[in-house]
Amino acid sequence: MSPYTLAMAVRPILRYPDPRLRQSSAPVTEFGDALRPLVADMGETMFAAEGAGLAAIQVGEPLRLFIVDAAVAGRAETDPPVVFANPELVKLSEEAQTGDEGCLSFPGVFVPVKRAMRATIKAQDIEGNWFEMEGSELLARAFQHESDHLTGRLLIDMVGPVKREIIKRKMKKEAAAAAET
Ligand code: ZN
C-alpha cells in the first residue's frame, strides 16, 4: 500500500523571519507509520508550493528530516518525494557551482549561491534504513540547502550585507501585506 493513500494536508510554510526557522532540529527517532503522516503532509505542501525540496522545520517540525522532489533526485516524476532522515553530508566536491537558489521560506527570492558541484549524502529512509546518494548540480545544491535548514542556516546567510538588507526589507513588506489581508 502506498503511504500516499493516507489523508494528506498542505501545511503553512514558515517564512523568514519566523524565529522557528533558526532552530536546530533534533534527530528523527521514529520511523514507519509514525513518520508517514508528516512526510505525506510535507510532500503535499512541497507539491502545492512547487518546490524542489522541503525541510521539516519549514512546516514547524524541528526534526532532522527533509524531502526532495523525485524528478530532482533522478527518479520518475510521478514517484513520491525522496525522504532523507538524519542526513549527513559525507562528501562535498572541491569543484563548485554558482547558481540562483530559492527557498520556500523566502518566496520570490532567488540569489546566486556558491555550492559544491557534487555532494554525497548518507541518510535514513522512511523505514529507518540507511542509504547513500550522490548528486550533482541541482540535486547537490538541494542536499546542501536542505541540510543547512537542519541547523537553522538560511538562504539569507549565504549573501553579502547589501543583498541581505534587500531580502530583509522584501520579506518584512510581504509579512505586513499578509497581515493586512
Ligand atoms: Zn529552503
Side-chain angles (χ1 to χ4, degrees):
M1 189 183 87
S2 159
Y4 288 83
T5 55
L6 287 166
M8 296 182 285
V10 173
R11 297 203 193 182
I13 297 176
L14 305 186
R15 291 181 174 191
Y16 180 87
D18 193 308
R20 286 172 287 179
L21 290 169
R22 290 299 191 186
Q23 278 182 268
S24 267
S25 290
V28 176
T29 54
E30 290 185 89
F31 297 88
D33 287 343
L35 196 54
R36 259 185 270 283
L38 172 60
V39 165
D41 283 0
M42 286 172 64
E44 191 79 340
T45 303
M46 182 178 74
F47 183 76
E50 297 181 355
L54 184 74
I57 189 64
Q58 290 180 279
V59 293
E61 301 284 349
L63 287 173
R64 295 185 58 82
L65 171 74
F66 64 76
I67 58 172
V68 172
D69 176 76
V72 171
R75 303 203 176 157
E77 226 167 282
T78 47
D79 279 4
V82 183
V83 175
F84 300 84
N86 299 324
E88 299 290 344
L89 287 166
V90 291
K91 212 165 126 193
L92 293 171
S93 69
E94 276 181 35
E95 191 191 343
Q97 56 171 327
T98 300
D100 276 355
E101 197 167 304
C103 177
L104 294 177
S105 295
F106 293 82
V109 173
F110 293 92
V111 286
V113 177
K114 190 177 172 188
R115 299 283 190 184
M117 176 62 95
R118 284 179 304 282
T120 305
I121 202 161
K122 192 179 131 190
Q124 284 168 285
D125 66 16
I126 199 164
E127 304 297 345
N129 302 309
W130 286 97
F131 66 98
E132 240 182 60
M133 194 183 282
E134 199 194 322
S136 63
E137 298 182 41
L138 180 58
L139 182 55
R141 181 176 293 281
F143 287 166
Q144 293 165 82
H145 177 103
E146 300 309 332
S147 295
D148 281 349
H149 273 299
L150 310 186
T151 55
R153 190 174 164 88
L154 298 170
L155 192 60
I156 197 164
D157 306 328
M158 309 298 286
V159 300
V162 175
K163 224 159 229 169
R164 196 171 305 149
E165 277 314 307
I166 294 171
I167 296 173
K168 270 188 192 166
R169 236 174 292 147
K170 184 183 161 75
M171 294 304 297
K172 242 180 226 162
K173 220 181 272 176
E174 285 210 3
E180 271 172 29
T181 53

